[in-house]
Amino acid sequence: MRRSIVVHRLAPPLLTLALVLGAALSPGPTFATSDEAERERICAKAEKRYQELFGKPSSAEPVVIVTMYKYTFCPTVLTVKRGTTVRWVNVDKRTSHSVWLKEAGKEESDRLFPEESWEITYDVPPGEYPYLCGPHGKEEGMTGKVIVTP
Ligand SMILES: [Cu+2]
């Protein structure tokens, strides 16, 4: 009986401590959310840049466009049907990027300077095809993924 009283007296401060610690130690979801918001902001700007450069929305192209802007592939995860051609377009002002399907054992694309592009036709078995930017994949986390469906 005494023990349970002690436990009860300890419980509220411990609970408070746990809640405070929990709040302090759980920036994970917060960061993930702000990363996501940041990416959306960058991708919206990338689309604007695309339209400035090419005079039409990227969705008006006969191929699927992935823009490269501010160390970000937009969209970062893209789902396409088998046989679809995907074109990466650098809409940055100064930075060059590349596209490298390293896990699939492909060679890295040439370095793409602003306004340059490179494309792949995904005539491949359905699955996930991750890729990265050669110069910015590691340190800047510039990576993307194409999911191919039948
Ligand atoms: Cu890059």
Side-chain angles (χ1 to χ4, degrees), residues 64-81:
V64 177
I65 304 293
V66 175
T67 53
M68 308 159 92
Y69 188 63
K70 305 272 186 205
Y71 308 120
T72 305
F73 290 109
C74 301
T76 305
V77 177
L78 173 70
T79 301
V80 298
K81 278 197 168 182

Side-chain angles (χ1 to χ4, degrees), residues 97 133 136 142:
H97 301 285
C133 170
H136 309 119
M142 187 174 176

Side-chain angles (χ1 to χ4, degrees), residues 76 93 116:
T76 305
K93 287 186 177 165
E116 288 184 338

Side-chain angles (χ1 to χ4, degrees), residues 46-63 65 67 87:
E47 177 59 26
K48 246 188 167 177
R49 281 282 298 158
Y50 190 94
Q51 294 181 20
E52 280 168 21
L53 293 170
F54 303 104
K56 55 181 159 181
S58 65
S59 59
E61 302 291 357
V63 295
I65 304 293
T67 53
R87 180 188 296 161

